Amino acid sequence: MLDFFFDPENWSGGNGIPMRTLAHLAYTFIALGIAAAIAVPLGILIGVTGRGEALIAGLANALRALPTLGLLILIVMLVAPLISSSLAFTIPAIIVLVLLAVPPILTGTYSGIQNADRNAVQAARGMGYTTGQILWRVQVPMALPLIMSGLRGALLQVVSTATVAAFVSLGGLGRYIIDGRATQDYPQMLAGALLVAVLALALELLFMLLERFVVSPGLQRKTTSGAALATA
Amino acid sequence: MIVFDNVSKQYPDGTMGVDGLSFTADEGQITVLVGPSGCGKTTSLRMINRLLEPTGGSILVGDADVMSQNVVALRRQIGYVIQNSGLFPHRTVLGNVASLPIMLGMSRKDARARAHELLETVGLDASYAKRYPWQLSGGQQQRVGVARALATDPPYMLMDEPFSAVDPITRAQLQQEFLRIQSEVGKTIVMVTHDIDEALTLGDRIVMLRTGGHLAQNATPRELLRNPADEFVANFVGRARGYGALGFTSDVQLDIQPARSVRIGEQTANDDEWLVAVDDESRPLGWLRTDDEGIAQHADVEHATIITRADGTLRDIMDAALSSPNGRGILVHEDGTLRGVITLEEVTRAIRVSKGL
Ligand SMILES: Nc1ncnc2c1ncn2[C@@H]1O[C@H](COP(=O)(O)OP(=O)(O)OP(=O)(O)O)[C@@H](O)[C@H]1O
Ligand SMILES: [Mg+2]
C-alpha cells in the first residue's frame, strides 16, 4: 500500500489523489449546501410553528433506512433517459447525498429552535421584539449549537458516502476502491478507504474549529471548559 | 397609570385565571400583586403587555385600552422582568442590557455606555460586563434582568417575582437597592410576589388576590395590616400583622431621655455605669462600661446593640431597646449624631398608645 502512496503517478493528473480529493470534496459540499438550503429553513419553520414535527421525524427515519446504493441506481435509471451528458450520473449522485444529509440537519435545526430557552424567548416577546426579531436575534443564535452539530453529522455522512459516486462511473476517492476491486489491486482499495477516512477526520476537525467561531461562548459551556471562559 | 376595569381571563380549558379584577396602579408608584400560588398574579401581569389577552373587561395603559394599541409599541414602553431573569444566554451581560436599545436605533457606543451605567446602578461591578449569564449567580442574573428592563427608560415596569431566586439576606439587599433605584427613576411599577413581607416592604399599594382570581383586598400596606378585609387576608398577612405592623408606625410621641456619653479614648468617672460610646463626630458606637483605669476603649464597646433613628418606626426602636445590654435603646438624629436613649417600658407605652389602648 505504501508503494501506492509513493508512486508519483498517483499524485498528478486527472486520476491523481489531489484531483480526486477535490472532486470528492466538490460532491460533498454541493450536496451539503443543497441539503442545508432545504433543511435549515424547513427546520426553523417546524421549530417555530411546532407543526409537522411527527411527519418530519417519520420521514427522516425513512430516509435513513434507505439503501444508498439501490437508491442511486434507481435514480440513475429514472434520470438517465431524460438527460444525455455526464450530468445523467452526477445529478442522481447528488440527489442521493442530499437525501442523506437532510435528516440530521433538519432534526438538529428544529430541535435547536424548540429547545431554545423559553424564558429568553418569552422575555424578548414581552420587551417588544417582533416575531422576526425574536427568530433572528434570539431563537436562531440559541439554536446554533444544535444546527451546527446537525451540519457536522450530515457532513460526515456525506463525505464517507460520496464514495458511491464511483459506482456510477464518476470521480472522487471512491474510484480507488471500485477500480482497485475490479483489478484485484487490494493496496489501491485500502489506500482509497484510508484517504476517505483521513478526509472525514480533517473535515471534522475543521468543522469543530468553525463551531468555536460561530457559536456564542455563552452557549459553549457544555462543550468547552468553563474555567477557560471564566478567566477570559 | 395602569387601570384594570373588571378584567377576566378564562383559559381555553375553562380555568378562570382572573375573575372580574379591578384596580389602579398609580403613576410613579409600586403596586404589588400578592396572593397564594395559582391565584392569577402572573396571568394579570401578562395581560398588561398582552402576552395574554383578557376575555372580559379592559386594561388601560396610559389613557388607552391595551387592545387598541399596537402590540409592539405597547410592549416597548413597558420594561419586563420575568422570574427566572430570561436573559439571552448567547449574549454577554453587557450585550443583554444593550441589545434592545441598539435594536431600536441607539448607537452602539451610547447603548454600551448606558448599559455600563445601569449595571453600576443595580450594583454589578464592571468586571461582570463581559461574562455570560451562566457565569453569574441567580441574584446577579436578576440584577441584570432589572438593568435590561431599564435600558430603554420605559415609563412602566412589570416585574414577576424579580427577587425570588436568592437567599433572604441577598433578597433584602436587592429590595433596598431596588427602592433606592425607584426613588431615582420613579417608574409606574406592577410587581408580582407571593411573599407578603416583600409586598409590605416594596408596595406603595397592595392588591391581594385569592384563589380563583378574585380581588381580596386593595389597600396600602398599613391599611392591610390594620384592617384586613376578611379572614383570608388576615391569615395571609399572618405574623406580619403583629410585630411586623410596628414597622409601619412612626408618628408616636416618645419620651426620649438624655444619655450620658463618652468619647473613645477619654477618661470617664469610674462608677460602673453604662455609657454611650461616641466617636469624634458624636455618632454613637454602642454601650460601654469603663475598664479599671477608667479609659473608654474601642474594644469594650458592645457592638451587638442596634442603633436607630429617633423618628424611625416603632419596630426599629423596639429592636434598639431589645438588643441593648441594659434595656435602653440608643437613638440618633437624622445626621447620625446621638439624640438620646429610650427605655423598653417607654417603647411598650408608645405601642399601646399607637394601638389606642
Ligand atoms: N395556559 C394555561 N391554561 C390553563 N390554565 C392556566 C394556564 N396558565 C395558568 N393557568 C391557571 O390559571 C390560574 C392562575 O395562574 P397564574 O399563573 O396566574 O398563577 P400565579 O398567581 O402566578 O401563581 P404562582 O404564584 O404559582 O406563580 C391557575 O389556576 C393556573 O393553573
Ligand atoms: Mg406566577
Side-chain angles (χ1 to χ4, degrees):
Chain A
M1 189 184 76
L2 282 178
D3 291 345
F4 177 87
F5 282 112
F6 283 122
D7 186 348
E9 284 246 316
N10 286 330
W11 288 96
S12 62
N15 293 332
I17 294 171
M19 280 314 287
R20 289 206 165 150
T21 307
L22 270 181
H24 201 100
L25 282 175
Y27 288 127
T28 303
F29 281 107
I30 289 169
L32 192 72
I34 295 173
I38 297 168
V40 171
L42 195 59
I44 289 176
L45 195 72
I46 296 167
V48 169
T49 59
R51 269 187 223 144
E53 194 186 328
L55 184 80
I56 289 303
L59 213 69
N61 280 330
L63 280 178
R64 277 198 192 110
L66 281 178
T68 314
L69 200 56
L71 191 66
L72 178 62
I73 290 162
L74 180 71
I75 300 178
V76 169
M77 289 186 347
L78 288 175
V79 169
L82 304 177
I83 313 169
S84 56
S85 80
S86 68
L87 281 182
F89 296 110
T90 313
I91 289 176
I94 301 270
I95 290 178
V96 169
L97 294 178
V98 167
L99 286 178
L100 213 72
V102 162
I105 305 176
L106 196 60
T107 319
T109 307
Y110 91 77
S111 58
I113 297 279
Q114 283 208 319
N115 294 332
D117 185 341
R118 266 158 214 276
N119 287 318
V121 173
Q122 196 63 244
R125 181 166 295 125
M127 289 186 324
Y129 280 58
T130 62
T131 311
Q133 286 163 340
I134 294 173
L135 180 63
W136 294 113
R137 290 163 193 263
V138 184
Q139 288 172 303
V140 168
M142 285 196 290
L144 267 182
L146 284 177
I147 296 178
M148 290 303 281
S149 69
L151 282 170
R152 182 147 56 100
L155 176 65
L156 288 184
Q157 282 260 8
V158 170
V159 81
S160 48
T161 315
T163 44
V164 301
F167 275 98
V168 288
S169 58
L170 288 170
L173 295 171
R175 283 248 64 89
Y176 293 124
I177 300 174
I178 303 288
D179 295 351
R181 211 178 106 87
T183 56
Q184 307 223 332
D185 180 352
Y186 292 113
Q188 188 184 351
M189 275 181 79
L190 205 62
L194 193 72
L195 282 168
V196 173
V198 168
L199 190 64
L201 216 69
L203 286 176
E204 163 99 2
L205 277 175
L206 250 163
F207 215 82
M208 276 165 69
L209 271 176
L210 185 67
E211 277 184 46
R212 292 278 166 100
F213 273 105
V214 303
V215 176
S216 156
L219 299 167
Q220 291 187 12
R221 62 179 142 160
K222 277 163 206 133
T223 52
T224 62
S225 115
L229 282 167
T231 54
Chain B
M1 198 166 70
I2 296 175
V3 182
F4 271 59
D5 183 13
N6 200 22
V7 174
S8 296
K9 170 69 188 180
Q10 182 164 32
Y11 284 104
D13 67 358
T15 313
M16 286 307 284
V18 173
D19 196 2
L21 181 63
S22 300
F23 70 88
T24 298
D26 282 322
E27 211 71 42
Q29 300 229 313
I30 302 175
T31 302
V32 181
L33 297 179
V34 71
S37 187
C39 68
K41 305 181 293 291
T42 300
T43 304
S44 303
L45 201 70
R46 289 157 55 91
M47 285 190 287
I48 299 173
N49 62 3
R50 281 184 58 182
L51 287 172
L52 291 172
E53 302 198 339
T55 49
S58 59
I59 300 174
L60 307 187
V61 169
D63 289 323
D65 190 324
V66 290
M67 298 310 290
S68 69
Q69 303 187 37
N70 174 289
V71 67
V72 169
L74 171 76
R75 288 171 183 165
R76 285 184 183 165
Q77 29 160 356
I78 306 177
Y80 186 40
V81 184
I82 68 174
Q83 178 165 354
N84 353 49
S85 82
L87 295 181
F88 302 142
H90 59 292
R91 294 282 174 84
T92 60
V93 164
L94 197 72
N96 264 282
V97 180
S99 58
L100 185 59
I102 290 173
M103 202 175 85
L104 298 184
M106 194 188 271
S107 78
R108 271 168 198 278
K109 192 163 148 274
D110 292 350
R112 293 210 176 136
R114 167 131 181 92
H116 271 298
E117 243 171 67
L118 281 167
L119 289 174
E120 199 172 311
T121 307
V122 298
L124 276 181
D125 192 275
S127 65
Y128 289 100
K130 286 210 170 73
R131 294 209 194 176
Y132 285 91
W134 65 273
Q135 296 167 316
L136 303 180
S137 72
Q140 290 165 341
Q141 289 185 19
Q142 291 189 323
R143 286 168 200 240
V144 180
V146 173
R148 180 174 67 172
L150 288 166
T152 53
D153 200 19
Y156 304 100
M157 294 263 279
L158 305 180
M159 312 176 85
D160 198 344
E161 312 227 5
F163 309 125
S164 56
V166 293
D167 63 89
I169 292 176
T170 310
R171 174 186 274 226
Q173 273 171 9
L174 283 177
Q175 288 170 347
Q176 290 314 312
E177 275 168 35
F178 174 70
L179 284 176
R180 178 182 54 76
I181 297 167
Q182 167 66 356
S183 72
E184 285 165 19
V185 297
K187 306 279 179 205
T188 304
I189 298 174
V190 179
M191 178 188 287
V192 160
T193 180
H194 59 254
D195 175 357
I196 186 67
D197 289 320
E198 180 160 275
L200 291 168
T201 309
L202 298 181
D204 293 307
R205 176 157 289 275
I206 296 179
V207 174
M208 188 179 289
L209 304 181
R210 73 172 91 239
T211 311
H214 304 278
L215 180 70
Q217 187 165 5
N218 173 353
T220 63
R222 205 191 169 106
E223 285 163 20
L224 197 71
L225 288 165
R226 289 219 173 147
N227 296 312
D230 57 23
E231 193 187 344
F232 168 81
V233 177
N235 282 334
F236 198 85
V237 174
R239 278 184 324 122
R241 267 180 303 155
Y243 173 64
L246 296 177
F248 295 89
T249 319
S250 58
D251 48 3
V252 189
Q253 274 295 315
L254 297 170
D255 178 19
I256 300 172
Q257 297 161 359
R260 285 183 62 194
S261 67
V262 61
R263 245 173 255 281
I264 292 297
E266 274 181 358
Q267 184 78 33
T268 65
N270 190 1
D271 52 7
D272 208 28
E273 270 281 317
W274 281 104
L275 302 173
V276 178
V278 296
D279 67 8
D280 289 340
E281 272 96 52
S282 299
R283 288 179 303 223
L285 303 167
W287 289 104
L288 167 139
R289 247 194 299 216
T290 51
D291 63 9
D292 296 338
E293 291 102 54
I295 303 284
Q297 304 257 19
H298 218 286
D300 297 330
V301 177
E302 295 263 351
H303 290 286
T305 313
I306 293 168
I307 296 164
T308 195
R309 282 186 29 189
D311 60 353
T313 66
L314 279 181
R315 176 171 164 168
D316 290 337
I317 291 170
M318 177 141 109
D319 277 336
L322 286 172
S323 66
S324 153
N326 56 33
R328 281 174 293 163
I330 304 174
L331 301 180
V332 293
H333 290 110
E334 208 171 321
D335 62 1
T337 58
L338 181 62
R339 165 77 204 278
V341 296
I342 187 166
T343 62
L344 203 45
E345 291 76 15
E346 171 60 9
V347 180
T348 42
R349 189 198 61 80
I351 291 172
R352 292 178 73 94
V353 168
S354 79
K355 289 190 167 292
L357 302 174

